């Protein structure tokens, strides 16, 4: 682990993402969003697409967790699903590459184990983060040798639909922490300063916060809905 990544320990990572259908979709805007996040005290950025990452890296010297979100027909995996997305990310060299590490098959019926073996063989020195939705998935990714285990997908898959990451004082995170060998990054609905503080107290390596900081349409909706 390099010094930039080591510097994320106990710190905040801000997810600066806007998809094509969203009002802030623009590499220029995401770059400025990253600058604002750094100014506010973020020590890392999570970003989508090589274009956004290139812009962000030109403006801030913070470690980046890079992903490419792409939909494939008849496939539920959309976070860095194939080698094509890995190759795109390697053009801009994010410090960490995150991939979907749920139980779903990737395009062409490839399992996570097959895919991870392939990418590690080609890029043995690259750090990888597993985006998981259940304790079982997290521990499987841990066994496969992912450098970081993330709770990114909790509540976003069929197998985790009834789960809430904060339930029972982050029981999911506490169980993963008690059993995993690799560092755990808390992510997914960590939407208050109190939750951020708590997951670090529990032992998470770092914490990613996204929409509550970087998606103004969702922040606005919460205020507008309160008046309905």
């Amino acid at each position: 682990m390099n010094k930039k990544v080591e510097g994320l320990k106990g710190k905040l990572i801000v997810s600066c993402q806007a998809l094509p259908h969203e009002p802030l979709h623009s590499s220029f805007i995401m770059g400025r969003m990253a600058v604002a996040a750094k100014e506010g005290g973020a020590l890392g950025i999570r970003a989508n697409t090589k274009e956004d990452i290139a812009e962000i890296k030109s403006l801030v010297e913070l470690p980046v967790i890079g992903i490419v979100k792409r939909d494939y027909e008849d496939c539920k995996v959309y976070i860095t699903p194939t080698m094509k997305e890995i190759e795109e990310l390697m053009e801009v060299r994010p410090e960490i590459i995150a991939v979907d590490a749920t139980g779903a098959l990737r395009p062409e019926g490839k399992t996570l184990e097959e895919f991870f073996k392939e990418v590690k063989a080609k890029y043995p020195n690259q750090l990888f983060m597993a985006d998981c939705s259940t304790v079982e998935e997290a521990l499987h990714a841990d066994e496969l040798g992912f450098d970081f285990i993330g709770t990114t997908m909790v509540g976003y898959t069929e197998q985790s639909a009834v789960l809430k990451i904060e339930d029972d004082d982050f029981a999911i995170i506490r169980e993963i922490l008690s059993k995993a060998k690799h560092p755990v990054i808390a992510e997914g609905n960590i939407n208050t300063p109190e939750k951020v503080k708590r997951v670090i107290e529990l032992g998470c390596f770092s914490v990613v916060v996204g929409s509550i900081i970087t998606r103004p349409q969702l922040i606005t909706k919460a205020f507008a809905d309160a008046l309905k």
Side-chain angles (χ1 to χ4, degrees):
M1 197 186 300
N2 63 43
K3 281 189 176 180
K4 281 178 85 172
V5 175
E6 284 174 3
L8 292 172
K9 186 171 174 57
K11 303 300 182 184
L12 173 68
I13 299 164
V14 171
S15 181
C16 298
Q17 297 181 46
L19 298 173
H21 66 277
E22 294 183 283
L24 297 191
H25 178 66
S26 155
S27 294
F28 174 85
I29 294 173
M30 287 304 105
R32 272 59 189 173
M33 191 73 83
V35 173
K38 181 185 178 185
E39 201 171 292
L43 267 291
I45 303 293
R46 179 166 163 130
N48 174 38
T49 76
K50 67 177 184 181
E51 293 81 9
D52 283 12
I53 294 168
E55 179 68 14
I56 287 164
K57 279 183 165 284
S58 75
L59 295 168
V60 298
E61 290 187 10
L62 296 178
V64 172
I65 299 173
I67 63 171
V68 176
K69 287 182 175 175
R70 187 166 288 144
D71 293 321
Y72 283 83
E73 200 173 335
D74 300 322
C75 179
K76 293 175 183 175
V77 174
Y78 61 91
I79 297 175
T80 322
T82 75
M83 187 60 86
K84 173 180 166 64
E85 289 76 39
I86 298 286
E87 300 289 6
E88 289 173 17
L89 289 167
M90 290 306 294
E91 290 178 37
V92 289
R93 297 276 173 176
E95 281 70 19
I96 302 167
I97 289 177
V99 306
D100 179 303
T102 66
L105 294 176
R106 312 184 96 78
E108 299 177 358
K110 196 170 286 186
T111 65
L112 174 66
E113 188 168 355
E114 290 168 334
F115 177 66
F116 188 60
K117 192 173 180 181
E118 186 183 342
V119 297
K120 280 303 280 186
K122 188 160 188 182
Y123 298 110
N125 299 318
Q126 174 64 43
L127 296 174
F128 288 94
M129 173 176 169
D131 287 348
C132 307
S133 73
T134 66
V135 171
E136 292 73 24
E137 289 168 355
L139 297 180
H140 179 54
D142 187 54
E143 284 299 317
L144 291 179
F146 276 85
D147 302 282
F148 297 95
I149 310 302
T151 56
T152 319
M153 303 295 285
V154 174
Y156 294 102
T157 61
E158 284 178 25
Q159 61 271 29
S160 70
V162 298
L163 302 178
K164 285 195 171 68
I165 201 167
E166 68 271 28
D167 279 357
D168 191 22
D169 189 27
F170 299 97
I172 293 169
I173 286 176
R174 285 190 284 114
E175 186 171 353
I176 295 169
L177 284 166
S178 72
K179 296 176 179 176
K181 299 186 291 285
H182 294 89
V184 175
I185 296 179
E187 182 174 4
N189 290 305
I190 311 288
N191 52 15
T192 69
E194 292 75 20
K195 290 180 187 178
V196 164
K197 188 167 183 284
R198 183 60 181 148
V199 295
I200 295 300
E201 286 173 351
L202 290 172
C204 288
F205 176 80
S206 190
V207 55
V208 178
V209 178
S211 298
I212 199 67
I213 294 175
T214 57
R215 283 191 161 99
Q217 72 273 26
L218 298 182
I219 303 164
T220 303
K221 188 176 185 298
F223 285 92
D225 284 354
L227 300 178
K228 285 180 181 175

